[in-house]
Amino acid sequence: MQLFENQPLKIYNSLSGKKEVFEPLNQGYVGMYVCGPTVYSNVHLGNCRTFMSFDMIFRYLKHLGFKVRYVRNITDAGHLVDDAEDGEDKIAKKALLEKLEPMEVVQRYTVDFHNILDQFNFLPPSIEPTATGHIIEQIEIIKDILAKGYAYEVNGSVYFDVAIFNKTNEYGKLSGRKLEDMIANTRALAAQNEKKNPQDFALWKKAEPQHIMRWPSPWGDGFPGWHLECTAMSTKYLGETFDIHGGGMDLKFPHHECEIAQAEACYGHSPVRYWMHANMLTMNGKKMAKSTGNNILPGEIFSGENSILSKAFTPSVVRFFMMQAHYTSILDLSNDALIASEKGYQRLMEAVNTLPKLEVGPKTDFDIPSWKQLCYDAMNDDFNTPILIAQLFEAVKRINLVKEGKETITAADKALLKEHIDVFVFDILGLENERASGVDSNKLGGVVELLIQLRMEARANKDFATSDKIRDQLAAMGIQLKDGKEGTTFTLF
RNA sequence: GGCAUCGUGGCCGAGUGGCUAGGCAAGGCUCUGCAAAAGCUUGUACAGCGGUUCGAAUCCGCUCGAUGCCUCCA
């Protein structure tokens, strides 16, 4: 008996615009594809938010007992800079600027990406395929689409014929657009004369002589178009139809719309059962983007080296901050918001650390099974982590009440509570217990315990000058003493 | 201009046709030598204007505003 059998999960499907009961294609298995990063510069915090949302989703699906194959690609072939005839590969452009081999750039930023995600405590995806590793598959799909009449070749490039596709299918259904409107609103760009219509998109682009990244194809040397790699890789690893396709909201159009078109043209049916879109992280009310410079790097948060920040914040604090907002909502980053999250996170972790030390009693004043179900209900309702966190704070309150001696908990319920706190805080939200230091057993712990003892003696002698000096100077070093009923404890902050 | 999403108390941020979000900050109280921590407690918010309804912040319409997409973008 797996958890998912009695924890019905609802997912907001961007395609239908509704929350739907999640039923995977194959009982007990989930195929999930998420559009990964383009590795031509450092991953910024906005990118991280999307991947973190899907990391949480991956974690929860796994927790429910699904066998999940999570595919997140690395876009290392680059995308076109623009639609102009001399469109050059974005990665190649950057490489020329920095006088590096394209794959050197790819390697550098892929390593950076993995390093950052590791600090954020991401689970690795099941498969992390690269676009350049799937050129053959992409060429095969283009051949297929050409054979089925949904594409045309011009001068070594192949374009998807949106108008023909739209006769039998519905181009724009994901983003709520109609082809007629798009035609009416398209600006007349020069240099698109290869395409029959401006809405057509490239499946294969001819490589100009100076273009470094290039592969042979039936249409000559070139490189794949923007949207094809995701169709190729998702199909290869998850099949022609799979359960969940995720990505950032900004990919809905045109990227995901084109993926649908490619797959429907090729396979004759819709590729994805549940489309999920994570919303943007903004800063100063504006979307973070590499191109505008309105962004912040994770490293700058961890070090505090950014003008909007008053201090450094740990990866778990940032993760907690992001998990306090629903993944479909726009979230605005600010120093104040991070500070508030840091306080909340610390309070949560205090309680997590207190729980094992609680004394047990004859009865429990807190209905833990009901609380546990409320936590599941929150997650089952389209991964509502803000509600889950609200429930966790209910548990925090109860833990502190028991600590204060105002409520009691039985040994069995304490174990049950601990088990589920750990599940939700660590396994699902993916937080790390940065405050659970092993200080009790190390040298620092011994020194602090000694000082606490000296302070207790001073207090017993009403020598408050000495006791306050110990307390205040330790506080200045980031060690906070807390006088409680059972004596003095301390935490690092 | 088109499409989409959204506008919640000092700040962040859930939710919803009638009943509690939660966090942070603030005030009061308990505890304390004084603090801190912790606990209890207070605040009565849903852009504006109409409409539907016994009842709407929640549904509908309009207005204003914000953001995203429409060109690579998580």
Side-chain angles (χ1 to χ4, degrees):
Chain A
M1 180 81 173
Q2 296 289 346
L3 266 174
F4 61 74
E5 291 172 52
N6 50 23
Q7 297 292 352
L9 173 65
K10 279 188 179 169
I11 292 181
Y12 179 82
N13 188 344
S14 304
L15 187 59
S16 66
K18 293 183 185 126
K19 275 184 202 168
E20 299 174 3
V21 175
F22 178 66
E23 284 167 2
L25 204 55
N26 301 301
Q27 166 83 4
Y29 292 83
V30 176
M32 177 162 88
Y33 186 92
V34 172
C35 295
T38 306
V39 281
Y40 63 80
S41 66
N42 293 298
V43 61
H44 68 247
L45 201 63
N47 300 313
C48 293
R49 186 192 180 197
T50 295
F51 302 133
M52 195 179 287
S53 296
F54 287 102
D55 183 61
M56 173 275 292
I57 287 164
F58 179 41
R59 285 166 176 273
Y60 188 60
L61 291 171
K62 280 177 54 153
H63 173 72
L64 288 182
F66 289 113
K67 289 191 170 55
V68 187
R69 180 178 290 168
Y70 172 27
V71 181
R72 187 186 64 210
N73 68 296
I74 295 272
T75 296
D76 58 350
H79 289 161
L80 292 173
V81 169
D82 56 37
D83 252 359
E85 276 185 331
D86 58 346
E88 64 184 314
D89 190 293
K90 206 161 196 172
I91 284 169
K93 185 180 179 185
K94 181 87 176 174
L96 287 170
L97 284 175
E98 300 188 356
K99 294 194 164 47
L100 293 170
E101 272 299 312
M103 290 316 279
E104 198 177 348
V105 173
V106 163
Q107 177 71 15
R108 183 163 124 199
Y109 292 118
T110 300
V111 168
D112 170 74
F113 176 66
H114 287 146
N115 177 254
I116 295 297
L117 264 50
D118 199 43
Q119 292 189 66
F120 274 127
N121 195 31
F122 276 61
L123 296 179
S126 321
I127 304 176
E128 194 168 44
T130 60
T132 54
H134 297 77
I135 301 294
I136 291 167
E137 288 84 349
Q138 297 183 65
I139 289 173
E140 289 305 309
I141 290 175
I142 298 170
K143 284 187 197 164
D144 200 2
I145 295 175
L146 272 170
K148 285 168 177 156
Y150 291 106
Y152 54 91
E153 182 196 347
V154 182
N155 187 30
S157 293
V158 180
Y159 295 100
F160 190 94
D161 195 325
V162 172
I164 288 179
F165 175 77
N166 199 240
K167 284 179 185 167
T168 49
N169 300 65
E170 191 187 347
Y171 183 75
K173 63 184 171 187
L174 179 66
S175 53
R177 289 156 212 253
K178 289 193 162 49
L179 186 58
E180 309 85 78
D181 297 339
M182 284 187 248
I183 291 167
N185 287 295
T186 302
R187 291 164 289 172
L189 288 176
Q192 289 197 325
N193 47 17
E194 275 188 359
K195 293 191 204 172
K196 289 186 187 170
N197 294 295
Q199 288 73 34
D200 295 350
F201 54 91
L203 297 174
W204 186 262
K205 282 293 281 184
K206 178 184 178 178
E208 298 303 320
Q210 69 274 20
H211 202 101
I212 306 171
M213 278 192 151
R214 58 198 300 149
W215 292 268
S217 81
W219 317 282
D221 281 6
F223 52 96
W226 330 339
H227 313 298
L228 200 57
E229 59 176 274
C230 288
T231 298
M233 293 186 273
S234 62
T235 307
K236 175 162 181 173
Y237 299 112
L238 300 174
E240 289 181 13
T241 304
F242 55 96
D243 298 301
I244 296 173
H245 189 126
M249 200 73 102
D250 50 350
L251 297 183
K252 211 169 177 182
F253 186 90
H255 183 59
H256 291 157
E257 207 70 77
C258 294
E259 275 189 56
I260 291 175
Q262 287 163 352
E264 289 186 355
C266 209
Y267 310 116
H269 54 79
S270 191
V272 174
R273 293 158 58 82
Y274 302 88
W275 280 95
M276 297 183 73
H277 289 96
N279 218 141
M280 299 292 100
L281 179 69
T282 61
M283 192 164 84
N284 302 317
K286 300 274 186 207
K287 177 187 156 182
M288 270 189 206
K290 290 166 186 167
S291 51
T292 60
N294 183 237
N295 63 40
I296 188 165
L297 299 178
E300 295 175 300
I301 302 242
F302 304 155
S303 69
E305 286 163 10
N306 186 288
S307 56
I308 75 153
L309 301 177
S310 64
K311 65 184 289 298
F313 296 93
T314 65
S316 271
V317 168
V318 177
R319 194 172 181 115
F320 185 74
F321 163 72
M322 292 197 184
M323 290 294 132
Q324 276 186 297
H326 190 80
Y327 76 93
T328 57
S329 295
I330 292 173
L331 174 63
D332 195 55
L333 181 84
S334 68
N335 192 58
D336 287 351
L338 284 172
I339 290 202
S341 290
E342 183 174 54
K343 294 255 177 69
Y345 165 76
Q346 289 174 348
R347 205 170 137 234
L348 176 63
M349 285 304 152
E350 273 299 306
V352 168
N353 294 335
T354 298
L355 178 57
K357 301 175 197 157
L358 291 181
E359 291 191 18
V360 296
K363 68 180 181 72
T364 303
D365 297 299
F366 176 34
D367 185 350
I368 291 169
S370 296
W371 168 82
K372 177 188 120 185
Q373 190 52 47
L374 288 172
C375 291
Y376 277 109
D377 289 348
M379 289 304 292
N380 292 337
D381 186 14
D382 194 28
F383 310 96
N384 198 323
T385 53
I387 295 290
L388 171 63
I389 288 172
Q391 294 302 338
L392 290 174
F393 275 105
E394 176 65 23
V396 167
K397 191 170 157 182
R398 297 310 186 116
I399 289 168
N400 286 327
L401 282 168
V402 173
K403 183 181 153 200
E404 295 277 311
K406 290 174 179 163
E407 289 193 359
T408 56
I409 189 168
T410 66
D413 279 339
K414 180 178 153 182
L416 183 68
L417 183 60
K418 170 141 177 49
E419 179 192 342
H420 285 92
I421 291 250
D422 286 352
V423 161
F424 288 113
V425 171
F426 301 119
D427 296 353
I428 293 172
L429 292 179
L431 298 173
E432 291 181 292
N433 197 345
E434 290 162 351
R435 294 169 71 76
S437 49
V439 282
D440 290 62
S441 57
N442 69 21
K443 287 178 188 168
L444 176 66
V447 170
V448 175
E449 289 301 337
L450 177 63
L451 286 166
I452 286 173
Q453 208 173 346
L454 289 172
R455 178 164 167 272
M456 273 173 62
E457 287 167 18
R459 291 174 75 200
N461 296 329
K462 305 265 185 217
D463 179 6
F464 296 123
T466 301
S467 71
D468 287 356
K469 186 178 177 186
I470 291 172
R471 181 181 69 197
D472 297 343
Q473 296 209 353
L474 282 176
M477 288 184 279
I479 297 166
Q480 182 179 63
L481 300 188
K482 295 194 281 195
D483 296 333
K485 282 184 169 35
E486 312 297 321
T488 301
T489 58
F490 72 97
T491 48
L492 305 175
F493 64 94

